[in-house]
Amino acid sequence: MDKKYIVANWKMKPETAGKVTEILSRADDALGEVGEQRELSLIFCPPFVFLDEVAGAIRQSHLLHEAELGAQDVAIRGEGALTGEVSGPQLVQSGVRYVIVGHSERRYQLGEDDGTVNRKLHVALQSGLVPIVCVGEPKRDGSWEEALREQVRGTFQGLERDSIGRCLVAYEPVWAISTNPNAEPDTPESALESINFVRSVLAENAEPKVLYGGSVDPGNVAAFLSPEGIDGVLVGGASVRPDDFASILRQAAALQ
Ligand code: PGA
């Protein structure tokens, strides 16, 4: 089985540095128990204020060989005066390798349209970061394919095949994200169908890795990681619950 990606999107959590330590030490224990036989790529995306903390903890743990740092956002320009923003080059200097762009919370709660996401995507690539590009339809109704096609096209506009191939794409149907009222996870079968649809909309032969996200937890992670066509998972809520995340790691490692 190819290496699977696990992206931990901590969103605006946890509240304290002490909790950061708890999440990471539980994850460290879980991977320590599993031993060296694992083909995982782990990406921690904490809030900016905890990047250093997470980098330090990774260096002193069993996570060292498979964990890397990701940010949750990047400025739309590589330099200049933009109050409150963090630039791509600054992220790289801080040891960040990945950055999430186009998350649905930024699209729908903070007003980022496809054009903004597209600018961030270009900046991330120019800065040498690996973008984790989130796409997903808001509703699963009769026009979901149309909505998803339009969003994918707008998001990746102007990118060459090679650049698309450098991205990780996260298919996250908005209706399945745990913070939505009545959210329930997609099924692995239908997630795979949608992921294949996303692949078909992207430039021919671009072949990015595509992950699934939306209410992934210890109860369903093995099912989402099993199909060949799903290259990993993006985990939100469960990634800041120390026991749940440790369980996710143990199960992911056992699938190898
Ligand atoms: P969830 O979040 O795992 O809590 O559904 C996923 C996400 O929003 O990235």
mmCIF file of all heavy atoms in Angstrom, residues 9 11 103-105 134 172 176-179 213-216 234-238, ligand 1:
data_model
loop_
_atom_site.group_PDB
_atom_site.id
_atom_site.type_symbol
_atom_site.label_atom_id
_atom_site.label_comp_id
_atom_site.label_asym_id
_atom_site.label_seq_id
_atom_site.Cartn_x
_atom_site.Cartn_y
_atom_site.Cartn_z
ATOM 1 N N ASN A 9 -5.775 19.041 11.276
ATOM 2 C CA ASN A 9 -6.147 20.457 11.184
ATOM 3 C C ASN A 9 -6.724 20.877 12.526
ATOM 4 O O ASN A 9 -7.882 20.590 12.824
ATOM 5 C CB ASN A 9 -7.174 20.637 10.057
ATOM 6 C CG ASN A 9 -7.691 22.058 9.976
ATOM 7 O OD1 ASN A 9 -7.091 22.969 10.551
ATOM 8 N ND2 ASN A 9 -8.794 22.253 9.277
ATOM 9 N N LYS A 11 -7.451 23.725 13.609
ATOM 10 C CA LYS A 11 -8.325 24.910 13.573
ATOM 11 C C LYS A 11 -7.896 25.890 14.682
ATOM 12 O O LYS A 11 -6.699 26.104 14.845
ATOM 13 C CB LYS A 11 -9.795 24.495 13.680
ATOM 14 C CG LYS A 11 -10.156 23.442 12.618
ATOM 15 C CD LYS A 11 -11.614 23.206 12.460
ATOM 16 C CE LYS A 11 -11.846 22.132 11.395
ATOM 17 N NZ LYS A 11 -13.265 21.932 11.105
ATOM 18 N N HIS A 103 -9.886 26.127 2.808
ATOM 19 C CA HIS A 103 -10.747 25.395 3.738
ATOM 20 C C HIS A 103 -12.150 26.005 3.730
ATOM 21 O O HIS A 103 -12.312 27.224 3.623
ATOM 22 C CB HIS A 103 -10.169 25.436 5.160
ATOM 23 C CG HIS A 103 -10.875 24.474 6.066
ATOM 24 N ND1 HIS A 103 -12.071 24.801 6.681
ATOM 25 C CD2 HIS A 103 -10.597 23.199 6.403
ATOM 26 C CE1 HIS A 103 -12.485 23.751 7.380
ATOM 27 N NE2 HIS A 103 -11.606 22.766 7.226
ATOM 28 N N SER A 104 -13.164 25.164 3.885
ATOM 29 C CA SER A 104 -14.547 25.661 3.766
ATOM 30 C C SER A 104 -14.886 26.710 4.825
ATOM 31 O O SER A 104 -15.712 27.582 4.590
ATOM 32 C CB SER A 104 -15.536 24.497 3.826
ATOM 33 O OG SER A 104 -15.390 23.798 5.033
ATOM 34 N N GLU A 105 -14.241 26.625 6.010
ATOM 35 C CA GLU A 105 -14.531 27.658 7.014
ATOM 36 C C GLU A 105 -14.030 29.017 6.541
ATOM 37 O O GLU A 105 -14.657 30.042 6.797
ATOM 38 C CB GLU A 105 -13.914 27.263 8.368
ATOM 39 C CG GLU A 105 -14.729 26.168 9.031
ATOM 40 C CD GLU A 105 -13.930 25.216 9.902
ATOM 41 O OE1 GLU A 105 -12.764 25.498 10.224
ATOM 42 O OE2 GLU A 105 -14.491 24.156 10.243
ATOM 43 N N CYS A 134 -8.230 22.516 -0.198
ATOM 44 C CA CYS A 134 -9.539 21.950 0.163
ATOM 45 C C CYS A 134 -10.597 22.343 -0.867
ATOM 46 O O CYS A 134 -10.706 23.518 -1.241
ATOM 47 C CB CYS A 134 -9.986 22.441 1.521
ATOM 48 S SG CYS A 134 -8.880 21.977 2.851
ATOM 49 N N GLU A 172 -13.362 17.698 0.863
ATOM 50 C CA GLU A 172 -14.089 17.830 2.133
ATOM 51 C C GLU A 172 -15.500 18.316 1.844
ATOM 52 O O GLU A 172 -15.730 19.534 1.730
ATOM 53 C CB GLU A 172 -13.396 18.854 3.030
ATOM 54 C CG GLU A 172 -11.994 18.465 3.443
ATOM 55 C CD GLU A 172 -11.656 19.050 4.808
ATOM 56 O OE1 GLU A 172 -11.671 20.277 4.963
ATOM 57 O OE2 GLU A 172 -11.409 18.258 5.725
ATOM 58 N N ALA A 176 -20.404 17.294 5.509
ATOM 59 C CA ALA A 176 -19.914 16.183 6.346
ATOM 60 C C ALA A 176 -18.947 16.649 7.427
ATOM 61 O O ALA A 176 -18.495 15.848 8.243
ATOM 62 C CB ALA A 176 -19.228 15.138 5.468
ATOM 63 N N ILE A 177 -18.616 17.940 7.445
ATOM 64 C CA ILE A 177 -17.650 18.440 8.432
ATOM 65 C C ILE A 177 -18.317 18.524 9.799
ATOM 66 O O ILE A 177 -19.455 18.992 9.924
ATOM 67 C CB ILE A 177 -17.074 19.796 7.964
ATOM 68 C CG1 ILE A 177 -16.204 19.533 6.727
ATOM 69 C CG2 ILE A 177 -16.263 20.465 9.065
ATOM 70 C CD1 ILE A 177 -15.542 20.733 6.130
ATOM 71 N N SER A 178 -17.608 18.037 10.810
ATOM 72 C CA SER A 178 -18.247 17.765 12.111
ATOM 73 C C SER A 178 -18.865 18.986 12.770
ATOM 74 O O SER A 178 -19.762 18.850 13.592
ATOM 75 C CB SER A 178 -17.245 17.122 13.072
ATOM 76 O OG SER A 178 -16.276 18.068 13.463
ATOM 77 N N THR A 179 -18.396 20.174 12.431
ATOM 78 C CA THR A 179 -18.935 21.361 13.096
ATOM 79 C C THR A 179 -20.269 21.800 12.506
ATOM 80 O O THR A 179 -20.916 22.700 13.049
ATOM 81 C CB THR A 179 -17.924 22.522 13.004
ATOM 82 O OG1 THR A 179 -17.441 22.568 11.668
ATOM 83 C CG2 THR A 179 -16.778 22.337 13.960
ATOM 84 N N GLY A 213 -11.748 14.413 3.867
ATOM 85 C CA GLY A 213 -11.951 15.027 5.186
ATOM 86 C C GLY A 213 -13.420 15.267 5.440
ATOM 87 O O GLY A 213 -14.180 15.593 4.528
ATOM 88 N N GLY A 214 -13.829 15.104 6.673
ATOM 89 C CA GLY A 214 -15.231 15.326 7.066
ATOM 90 C C GLY A 214 -15.624 14.300 8.104
ATOM 91 O O GLY A 214 -15.918 13.154 7.755
ATOM 92 N N SER A 215 -15.576 14.696 9.397
ATOM 93 C CA SER A 215 -15.963 13.811 10.506
ATOM 94 C C SER A 215 -15.175 12.497 10.553
ATOM 95 O O SER A 215 -15.720 11.456 10.920
ATOM 96 C CB SER A 215 -17.466 13.516 10.460
ATOM 97 O OG SER A 215 -18.220 14.696 10.623
ATOM 98 N N VAL A 216 -13.910 12.551 10.191
ATOM 99 C CA VAL A 216 -13.079 11.340 10.332
ATOM 100 C C VAL A 216 -12.760 11.174 11.818
ATOM 101 O O VAL A 216 -12.402 12.136 12.509
ATOM 102 C CB VAL A 216 -11.771 11.458 9.506
ATOM 103 C CG1 VAL A 216 -10.837 10.281 9.808
ATOM 104 C CG2 VAL A 216 -12.092 11.509 8.017
ATOM 105 N N LEU A 234 -7.888 14.083 6.185
ATOM 106 C CA LEU A 234 -7.684 15.356 6.865
ATOM 107 C C LEU A 234 -8.638 15.346 8.056
ATOM 108 O O LEU A 234 -9.848 15.202 7.886
ATOM 109 C CB LEU A 234 -7.990 16.513 5.900
ATOM 110 C CG LEU A 234 -7.496 17.904 6.315
ATOM 111 C CD1 LEU A 234 -7.398 18.803 5.089
ATOM 112 C CD2 LEU A 234 -8.393 18.549 7.333
ATOM 113 N N VAL A 235 -8.072 15.435 9.248
ATOM 114 C CA VAL A 235 -8.871 15.261 10.465
ATOM 115 C C VAL A 235 -8.945 16.587 11.219
ATOM 116 O O VAL A 235 -7.911 17.200 11.497
ATOM 117 C CB VAL A 235 -8.222 14.198 11.390
ATOM 118 C CG1 VAL A 235 -9.154 13.861 12.543
ATOM 119 C CG2 VAL A 235 -7.849 12.951 10.613
ATOM 120 N N GLY A 236 -10.151 17.027 11.536
ATOM 121 C CA GLY A 236 -10.333 18.259 12.292
ATOM 122 C C GLY A 236 -10.543 17.953 13.765
ATOM 123 O O GLY A 236 -9.610 17.697 14.512
ATOM 124 N N GLY A 237 -11.810 17.902 14.193
ATOM 125 C CA GLY A 237 -12.161 17.743 15.610
ATOM 126 C C GLY A 237 -11.401 16.643 16.323
ATOM 127 O O GLY A 237 -10.882 16.856 17.434
ATOM 128 N N ALA A 238 -11.315 15.471 15.719
ATOM 129 C CA ALA A 238 -10.682 14.339 16.407
ATOM 130 C C ALA A 238 -9.169 14.522 16.545
ATOM 131 O O ALA A 238 -8.533 13.834 17.341
ATOM 132 C CB ALA A 238 -10.987 13.031 15.663
HETATM 133 P P1 PGA B 1 -13.818 17.463 11.065
HETATM 134 O O1 PGA B 1 -13.120 18.699 10.314
HETATM 135 O O2 PGA B 1 -12.862 16.312 10.987
HETATM 136 O O3 PGA B 1 -14.013 17.966 12.467
HETATM 137 O O4 PGA B 1 -15.081 17.204 10.351
HETATM 138 C C1 PGA B 1 -12.502 18.520 9.088
HETATM 139 C C2 PGA B 1 -12.122 19.872 8.551
HETATM 140 O O5 PGA B 1 -12.905 20.817 8.687
HETATM 141 O O6 PGA B 1 -11.042 20.039 7.996
#
